[in-house]
Amino acid sequence: MLLHNHIPITIPLNKRNHRRSAAVVSTTASYESLTSRGFTFHRTTENLNLDHLNSVFAAVGFPRRDPEKIRVALEHTDPVLWVEYEKTKRPVAFARATGDGVFNAIIWDVVVDPNFQGIGLGKAVMERMVTELLEKGITNIALYAEPRVLGFYRPLGFVADPDGIRGMVYSRKHKNKY
């Protein structure tokens, strides 16, 4: 994944106590409503078919990835959240986070199969991901997003460049130019 096409965005801190309140994140799609529609949430990679996940990545425009590299990345991921559609037994939504487990986390690879977009799965995955990170006491949550989807993340509490902070990404292309 090339990060030069992604904009870092974060959830701003509550200035008074320097913590994000878990109460700020309210889930809109209930577990019951999603399960009644045939969706199951998973919080482990057990039974996650990486070839099927790779197909979802490709369907949303991410490059196909080596399944072995995906497996290694997932070993270094906490939390992970994916949604399975019971009729097909395939993943239709996915997100993962990496970080230090205490202060910081970055959410990666947020995808929803295009055939299932617009029904609230992406929002449900993100709300649950943020809630899980906040419950662990992680107060600095960031993600990288394509410019075309920034509007999706703003209602979920994410902002670009809070307090004037600018994200930077290492680029081999520019390494020798300075």
Side-chain angles (χ1 to χ4, degrees):
M1 175 172 69
L2 299 174
L3 293 179
H4 70 273
N5 289 332
H6 292 72
I7 297 172
I9 56 179
T10 63
I11 295 179
L13 290 172
N14 177 327
K15 298 293 184 195
R16 200 167 21 160
N17 62 14
H18 299 285
R19 293 194 47 109
R20 291 179 186 87
S21 167
V24 171
V25 180
S26 63
T27 55
T28 55
S30 74
Y31 177 79
E32 293 79 18
S33 72
L34 291 169
T35 56
S36 71
R37 292 164 61 191
F39 298 104
T40 303
F41 277 78
H42 298 273
R43 295 184 183 274
T44 71
T45 57
E46 187 177 337
N47 298 322
L48 176 59
N49 182 307
L50 299 184
D51 290 325
H52 293 166
L53 178 61
N54 222 352
S55 294
V56 178
F57 287 158
V60 300
F62 285 16
R64 283 202 174 268
R65 299 172 180 173
D66 177 342
E68 180 58 23
K69 288 184 177 182
I70 295 172
R71 187 190 61 72
V72 171
L74 291 174
E75 288 174 0
H76 299 279
T77 294
D78 183 41
V80 64
L81 184 60
W82 63 283
V83 179
E84 177 181 36
Y85 187 49
E86 288 299 321
K87 288 183 181 177
T88 62
K89 300 292 186 195
R90 298 187 110 180
V92 295
F94 177 88
R96 68 185 188 96
T98 59
D100 57 24
V102 180
F103 303 110
N104 305 293
I106 299 176
I107 299 172
W108 301 96
D109 301 330
V110 179
V111 293
V112 176
D113 183 311
N115 296 316
F116 294 88
Q117 291 177 1
I119 61 172
L121 287 176
K123 187 173 184 179
V125 165
M126 284 301 298
E127 289 172 340
R128 285 160 176 79
M129 178 67 69
V130 169
T131 297
E132 186 165 338
L133 292 167
L134 292 172
E135 287 172 349
K136 291 179 178 190
I138 296 171
T139 59
N140 186 24
I141 303 170
L143 65 87
Y144 286 91
E146 298 282 344
R148 63 184 168 81
V149 297
L150 291 178
F152 169 77
Y153 294 104
R154 286 190 181 109
L156 297 171
F158 286 88
V159 296
D161 302 320
D163 302 321
I165 296 171
R166 296 282 180 177
M168 297 181 76
V169 177
Y170 175 76
S171 172
R172 285 185 240 169
K173 278 195 279 188
H174 303 294
K175 181 178 173 187
N176 297 324
K177 292 185 179 183
Y178 300 104

